[in-house]
Amino acid sequence: MMPNMSSAEVIGMKDTAAPLASGLEGVVVAETRLSEVDGERGRLTLAGHDVEELAGDGEVTFEDVCGLLWGGALPSAAEREALRGAIAEGRVRAFALLDRLGDALAARDGMDALRAAVAHLGGGAPAAIAGAIATFAAAWSRRAAGEAPVAPDPALRLSADYLRMARGAAASEAEARELDTYLVTVSDHGMNASTFAARVVTSTGSDAISAVVAAIGALKGPLHGGAPGPVLDMLDAIGEAAGEGGAPPAGGAERWIQAELAAGRRIMGMGHRIYRVRDPRAAVLERAIERLARTAGGVRGARLALARAVERAAEAALRARHPDRPLRANVEFYTAVLLDALGLPRSLFSPTFAVGRVAGWCAHIDEQRRVGRLIRPSSRYIGGVRPRVDTPQGGLI
Ligand code: COA
């Protein structure tokens, strides 16, 4: 009940025929040339290219997908080089800002740190924002581990430099290629929650930094970009009994998953709002892990085998509970395994998602600006109302 209103004053709830869509499912709020998510067939198109084609073999770099999303076509060699330089300059400029970020990078959570650090940017073109996010994420991770931030190397492409800045050691070409695979895979994905947040802010006439800050806030949540760290926790918990390199104990995954579901918790990395089949990005990342395991072998291969066993067990348990609602692996499931194999700490998984998704955010911000219309949906009021009588003079009593 509303404050200061007696029950006698509340005469009822407003009646409305408009259907309620609390999760906005099925509501089309924009036309976009950037990406299409076909949830029934499990197809993701990024500006005209299937995700498997773009991210299938590590050939397409983060800079390439930025060119595609920001310019409408994969860049020529000269355009790619120009983009590489502009994004590298963004990393260098952001590194020079580190001392002027106050306590932003002291935050315990990497996404809180990223949000606060990005808020310090005075503005900037997409390349500057993309470069800054990589620098801030890596610097936060180093500081969180008690190490000094590593300065960017502007001669490198973003993937190689990000791994170098985050880990403090140079990346092999194979590692940089597979990080590119990841960043390209997650660069854009329809009207996901963080992209929508960026478009809502942009639609008010606000600036790009405010829109990206809002997007980072949305991405942080466990139902969106916060899932891969917990996925790795799950794999660790299930794999612990097997020891490093071993197979999960028989029934171990099933028992763990059933206990989580019985406790009312969701299985991270499973289920999706749009996909009714397995998320196509899961397969792209799974292949990237296979390629890495072939070059480095050992523990990476064992972790992949464990992940596959857990995925099978989770899928079966969820099918039994929700026979009418397919709940399959989503992108976060194999993100956890891939980023772990690349030597990134799990606290850096969600910030690394932002490093890739900023390509899409910036493209959507530009697209929304061209639309130029305020996004402002409606709500259904379910509170009370006071009795109201119109007088002949037009007043109210
Ligand atoms: N584990 C257990 N149950 C799940 C589940 C999961 N991962 N995902 C969905 N469900 C269940 C819900 O509890 C709900 O059950 P109910 O009808 O008995 O209440 C049903 O499936 C439908 O879920 P709903 O919340 O309507 O789906 P959604 O479209 O709103 O949610 C996600 C989509 C992604 C938020 C959801 O699947 C989820 O929370 N997944 C885990 C987090 C994750 O991996 N996020 C990354 C997404 S890329």
Side-chain angles (χ1 to χ4, degrees):
M1 175 152 332
M2 292 170 74
N4 307 323
M5 290 181 82
S6 73
S7 58
E9 288 173 305
V10 178
I11 60 167
M13 296 184 299
K14 200 165 183 172
D15 204 2
T16 170
L20 180 70
S22 61
L24 293 184
E25 48 265 74
V27 177
V28 178
V29 297
E31 286 184 325
T32 182
R33 296 183 186 283
L34 300 170
S35 61
E36 157 83 342
V37 183
D38 180 341
E40 297 298 326
R41 277 172 289 191
R43 183 171 184 188
L44 168 60
T45 309
L46 293 164
H49 301 260
D50 276 320
V51 67
E52 294 84 358
E53 173 205 335
L54 273 187
D57 54 10
E59 285 290 331
V60 176
T61 66
F62 176 71
E63 284 81 358
D64 290 324
V65 87
C66 287
L68 176 65
L69 293 173
W70 302 344
L74 281 168
S76 65
E79 288 165 343
R80 172 199 268 194
E81 186 49 27
L83 265 170
R84 194 203 55 70
I87 294 172
E89 193 183 322
R91 295 198 301 277
V92 171
R93 282 175 185 264
F95 193 80
L97 259 185
L98 291 186
D99 289 340
R100 283 178 276 146
L101 296 180
D103 60 1
L105 297 185
R108 283 174 64 86
D109 181 274
M111 293 300 274
D112 290 347
L114 201 54
R115 196 185 57 216
V118 171
H120 279 77
L121 295 174
I129 300 173
I133 287 193
T135 295
F136 292 154
W140 170 80
S141 185
R142 295 281 296 171
R143 284 190 51 159
E147 316 261 14
V150 174
D153 178 350
L156 297 176
R157 69 185 194 273
L158 181 134
S159 59
D161 205 23
Y162 181 64
L163 286 173
R164 190 186 137 273
M165 290 191 293
R167 306 186 314 192
S172 68
E173 178 54 24
E175 289 173 326
R177 284 166 67 101
E178 300 314 346
L179 184 62
D180 274 320
T181 299
Y182 170 73
L183 298 173
V184 170
T185 300
V186 302
S187 59
D188 197 45
H189 201 242
M191 197 51 63
N192 61 89
S194 58
T195 295
F196 184 53
R199 289 190 76 130
V200 169
V201 172
T202 305
S203 82
T204 70
S206 189
D207 58 287
I209 298 302
S210 299
V212 170
V213 166
I216 292 170
L219 187 69
K220 177 187 173 189
L223 302 190
H224 188 8
V231 168
L232 202 61
D233 295 340
M234 167 175 70
L235 296 181
D236 282 349
I238 294 171
E240 220 161 60
E244 189 153 299
E254 286 79 357
R255 268 196 303 281
W256 193 93
I257 285 160
Q258 290 299 353
E260 284 293 288
L261 293 173
R265 287 190 284 271
R266 292 186 176 202
I267 308 303
M268 293 291 115
M270 301 297 294
H272 199 272
R273 170 58 63 81
I274 307 288
Y275 291 118
R276 291 295 166 265
V277 293
R278 195 171 187 251
D279 185 334
R281 298 169 299 172
V284 170
L285 300 185
E286 203 181 350
R287 283 196 291 277
I289 303 159
E290 276 171 4
R291 289 193 293 269
L292 266 182
R294 275 200 295 277
T295 58
V299 176
R300 286 165 174 174
R303 182 60 79 105
L304 180 58
L306 172 66
R308 284 174 168 153
V310 172
E311 182 192 355
R312 278 195 301 276
E315 207 180 296
L318 290 169
R319 195 183 314 116
R321 277 190 177 238
H322 300 276
D324 300 327
R325 161 94 184 196
L327 294 168
R328 312 271 313 263
N330 62 49
V331 66
E332 309 283 31
F333 197 90
Y334 287 97
T335 288
V337 185
L338 177 59
L339 297 187
D340 181 53
L342 288 171
L344 297 178
R346 70 193 73 193
S347 56
L348 196 53
F349 290 179
S350 297
T352 305
F353 193 166
V355 171
R357 182 55 58 86
V358 70
W361 292 337
C362 289
H364 279 273
I365 288 167
D366 184 52
E367 206 172 56
Q368 184 62 41
R369 273 208 192 107
R370 291 168 202 270
V371 174
R373 186 123 208 279
L374 177 70
I375 298 175
R376 205 300 190 186
S378 304
S379 50
R380 181 185 300 166
Y381 178 62
I382 57 166
V385 289
R386 291 175 191 274
R388 169 184 156 139
V389 179
D390 293 329
T391 64
Q393 290 77 28
L396 287 173
I397 52 172

